[in-house]
Amino acid sequence: MDPELLDIAEVAAQSGLAPSALRFYEKKGLIVAAGRNGLRRSYHPGVVDRLALISCARRAGFTIAEIERVLHATPGDTALRARLAAKAREVDADIARLIRMRDALGHAAGCDHELLVECPEFMVLLKDPDAASPRSRTRENPAA
């Protein structure tokens, strides 16, 4: 085996993915094995970076088909670029929701209301996307 190639077990360890996931991604055409060492697949080291992109895209909600399109995108693929822009907006909305949840949980940890759901600040943080605690305002806009 080429000393630069990585065994499937090494790629699995470095990527944090199970070997079965690597075989699945290979079957779907998202990654390509460089060869075999006996019955074991081997990959070029760059596959680890590609797998990081695939894993990130999966966590962001992209389908396998969408990821395949991203991996083969050209500058002229305007439909894909529009989809990427829409996904970026979705991710921004998710981030805002998670920040509100983080702030509400942080408030809840020290809240002295007998029933947490009766705490107006807690409920505002959960419901109102424009309500931001000083902590999140500082992160989003240090001047606030």
Side-chain angles (χ1 to χ4, degrees), residues 96 99-100 103 121 123-133 136-137:
I99 287 171
R100 285 193 319 274
D103 291 349
E121 185 174 348
M123 296 309 293
V124 166
L125 286 168
L126 287 179
K127 292 179 184 178
D128 187 357
D130 294 324
S133 71
S136 64
R137 274 196 302 271

Coordinates of all heavy atoms in Angstrom, one line a residue, residues 96 99-100 103 121 123-133 136-137:
A96 N -30.0 32.1 15.8 CA -30.8 33.0 16.6 C -31.6 32.3 17.6 O -31.7 32.7 18.8 CB -31.6 33.9 15.7
I99 N -29.4 30.8 20.3 CA -28.9 31.9 21.2 C -30.0 32.2 22.2 O -29.8 32.4 23.4 CB -28.4 33.1 20.4 CG1 -27.1 32.8 19.7 CG2 -28.3 34.3 21.3 CD1 -26.7 33.8 18.7
R100 N -31.3 32.4 21.7 CA -32.4 32.7 22.6 C -32.5 31.5 23.7 O -32.7 31.8 24.9 CB -33.7 32.8 21.9 CG -33.8 34.2 21.1 CD -35.2 34.4 20.7 NE -35.9 33.3 20.1 CZ -35.9 32.9 18.8 NH1 -35.1 33.5 18.0 NH2 -36.6 31.9 18.4
D103 N -29.7 31.8 26.2 CA -29.9 32.9 27.1 C -31.0 32.5 28.1 O -30.9 32.9 29.3 CB -30.2 34.2 26.4 CG -29.0 34.7 25.6 OD1 -27.9 34.1 25.9 OD2 -29.1 35.6 24.8
E121 N -39.1 37.4 32.1 CA -37.9 37.5 31.3 C -37.6 36.1 30.6 O -37.3 36.1 29.4 CB -36.7 37.9 32.2 CG -35.5 38.1 31.3 CD -34.3 38.6 32.1 OE1 -34.5 39.0 33.3 OE2 -33.2 38.6 31.6
M123 N -39.8 33.9 29.7 CA -40.8 33.6 28.6 C -40.5 34.5 27.4 O -40.6 34.1 26.3 CB -42.2 33.8 29.1 CG -42.6 32.8 30.2 SD -42.3 31.1 29.7 CE -43.4 30.9 28.3
V124 N -40.1 35.8 27.7 CA -39.7 36.7 26.6 C -38.5 36.2 25.8 O -38.5 36.2 24.6 CB -39.5 38.1 27.1 CG1 -38.8 39.0 26.0 CG2 -40.8 38.8 27.6
L125 N -37.5 35.7 26.5 CA -36.4 35.1 25.8 C -36.7 34.0 24.9 O -36.1 33.8 23.9 CB -35.3 34.7 26.9 CG -34.6 35.9 27.6 CD1 -33.8 35.3 28.8 CD2 -33.7 36.6 26.6
L126 N -37.6 33.1 25.4 CA -38.0 32.0 24.6 C -38.9 32.4 23.3 O -38.7 31.7 22.3 CB -38.8 31.0 25.4 CG -38.0 30.2 26.4 CD1 -38.9 29.3 27.2 CD2 -36.9 29.4 25.7
K127 N -39.7 33.4 23.5 CA -40.7 33.7 22.5 C -40.3 34.7 21.4 O -40.5 34.6 20.3 CB -42.0 34.2 23.1 CG -42.7 33.1 23.9 CD -44.0 33.7 24.4 CE -44.7 32.7 25.3 NZ -45.9 33.3 25.9
D128 N -39.6 35.7 21.9 CA -39.4 36.9 21.1 C -38.0 36.9 20.4 O -37.0 37.0 21.1 CB -39.5 38.2 22.0 CG -39.5 39.5 21.2 OD1 -39.3 39.4 19.9 OD2 -39.6 40.5 21.8
P129 N -38.0 36.7 19.1 CA -36.7 36.7 18.4 C -35.9 38.0 18.5 O -34.7 38.1 18.4 CB -37.0 36.4 17.0 CG -38.4 36.6 16.8 CD -39.1 36.6 18.2
D130 N -36.6 39.1 18.8 CA -35.9 40.4 19.0 C -35.5 40.7 20.4 O -34.8 41.7 20.6 CB -36.9 41.6 18.5 CG -37.1 41.5 17.0 OD1 -36.2 41.0 16.3 OD2 -38.2 41.8 16.6
A131 N -36.0 39.9 21.3 CA -35.5 40.1 22.7 C -34.2 39.4 22.9 O -34.1 38.2 22.8 CB -36.6 39.5 23.7
A132 N -33.2 40.1 23.2 CA -31.9 39.5 23.5 C -31.4 40.0 24.8 O -31.5 41.2 25.2 CB -30.9 39.9 22.4
S133 N -30.9 39.1 25.6 CA -30.3 39.5 26.8 C -29.0 40.3 26.6 O -28.5 40.3 25.5 CB -30.0 38.2 27.6 OG -28.8 37.6 27.1
S136 N -26.3 38.2 24.9 CA -26.3 37.9 23.4 C -26.2 39.2 22.7 O -25.6 39.2 21.6 CB -27.6 37.2 23.0 OG -28.8 38.0 23.3
R137 N -26.7 40.3 23.2 CA -26.4 41.6 22.5 C -25.0 41.9 22.4 O -24.5 42.4 21.4 CB -27.2 42.8 23.2 CG -28.6 42.9 22.8 CD -29.1 44.3 23.3 NE -29.1 44.5 24.7 CZ -30.0 44.1 25.6 NH1 -31.1 43.5 25.2 NH2 -29.8 44.4 26.9

